[in-house]
Amino acid sequence: MRETENERTTFAEQGFLLRHGQFSAAEIEELREGAKELLSGSEERLVRERDGVTLRSAYGIHSDEAVFSRLARSARLVEPTRGLLGGEVYLYQSKLNVKRPFVGDRWEWHQDYAFWRAEDAMLAPQVLTAAVYLDDLDEFNGPLVVIPGSHRQGLVECSPRASSVEGDELSGYTSASLKHTVSREQVARLVGRGGLVAPKGRAGAVLFFSGCLVHASGVNLSPSPRSLALYTYNRVDNAPARAPRRPWFLQGRDVSPVEPVYGPLTGAEDRGAGGARPVEVGREREREHRGS
Ligand code: SIN
Ligand code: MN
């Protein structure tokens, strides 16, 4: 499960690492079932496409569904993440992006760290996201597209856009019109150096990518769904010092190290307490947030 030296080098040079076949068909099935529940959950944490109807994302997924809570602590995500970031990590954010057949919309060119630095005062880009493929990602259904090596530039200049929906600040972080984007000129310059890669893979693959990697994704043109469960881990010693301003489902509050859990995600009911402890902090924080 731990990363090899080759993988460490790939991640350091390219800014991403794709591992195929990390989760079994049975585990993916359970995650897909859990995803249905998530998408009928707390409206506050659901995001819809521009049509106002089609579901786009659910945030804070580690706090809702047991299987997504177990996934957040799965050693298959946590161990390589600790190795690639070089220290203990905590969960910063989790979300499910469902790019629906024919209508799932794009994500503009951006660096995740631009958001976490500007909005949350995160100290350094000692942060990565593990994207678990819940569907096969191909060239037709809007896979992530990355510029290899772009993370080595650090933060690329970008000027924040005003909120894309009047009175809805969250839309700048979650909608198809993002607040912090990388300009076309910068993208062209970076692509000239590093090219473009769409890390395609079957359901069960995991893509680890650096907080500074420039990435985007296009619309889903195909009749197939494209769902990703994304878990962002920050190094414990990189936790923002400033009191959080954004809701808990965008900036995690529990900065204690995630203890990896070994074994399958499925059949937790039969495994006893060990692997099945739900992450409670999310719900607590939701209550606080609503009350404030
Ligand atoms: C992201 O950039 O956070 C997600 C992009 C995608 O789901 O395609
Ligand atoms: Mn992103």
Side-chain angles (χ1 to χ4, degrees), residues 82 85-90 126-127 233-239:
R82 291 198 303 204
L85 292 181
E88 297 283 2
V89 297
Y90 71 96
Q126 305 290 4
V127 59
Y233 301 95
N234 189 20
R235 235 172 56 178
V236 168
D237 59 4
N238 192 42

Side-chain angles (χ1 to χ4, degrees), residues 78-232:
V78 177
E79 277 206 333
T81 296
R82 291 198 303 204
L84 295 172
L85 292 181
E88 297 283 2
V89 297
Y90 71 96
L91 188 65
Y92 196 75
Q93 191 185 96
S94 68
K95 66 181 177 185
L96 174 72
N97 284 351
V98 288
K99 215 177 255 197
R100 298 299 203 198
F102 299 115
V103 292
D105 211 345
R106 65 187 177 154
W107 287 79
E108 295 179 293
W109 286 109
H110 67 280
Q111 293 175 298
D112 294 335
Y113 180 59
F115 290 79
W116 302 326
R117 167 127 199 122
E119 308 298 331
D120 307 334
M122 188 188 280
L123 305 171
Q126 305 290 4
V127 59
L128 67 68
T129 295
V132 181
Y133 293 18
L134 302 190
D135 293 307
D136 299 347
L137 261 69
D138 59 28
E139 58 270 56
F140 310 114
N141 64 359
L144 275 166
V145 180
V146 307
I147 306 179
S150 53
H151 66 302
R152 284 189 268 130
Q153 304 277 311
L155 268 190
V156 176
E157 206 50 48
C158 60
S159 31
R161 170 193 272 155
S163 170
S164 46
V165 180
E166 190 68 26
D168 178 7
E169 209 200 320
L170 292 190
S171 71
Y173 315 130
T174 58
S175 76
S177 299
L178 292 175
K179 183 168 176 186
H180 303 281
T181 56
V182 176
S183 70
R184 290 177 180 173
E185 293 73 25
Q186 293 279 15
V187 170
R189 181 179 69 81
L190 294 166
V191 170
R193 290 180 179 197
L196 289 172
V197 170
K200 292 180 272 183
R202 308 294 301 268
V206 180
L207 178 73
F208 298 89
F209 62 100
S210 156
C212 272
L213 190 71
V214 177
H215 63 284
S217 64
V219 298
N220 183 356
L221 295 170
S222 81
S224 310
R226 193 233 67 168
S227 298
L228 288 180
L230 298 119
Y231 291 88
T232 296

Side-chain angles (χ1 to χ4, degrees), residues 271-289:
R271 279 212 314 275
R277 183 176 60 85
V279 177
E280 292 293 353
V281 66
R283 289 207 180 281
E284 287 308 310
R285 294 296 172 181
E286 183 174 27
R287 271 180 227 125
E288 270 176 37
H289 177 64

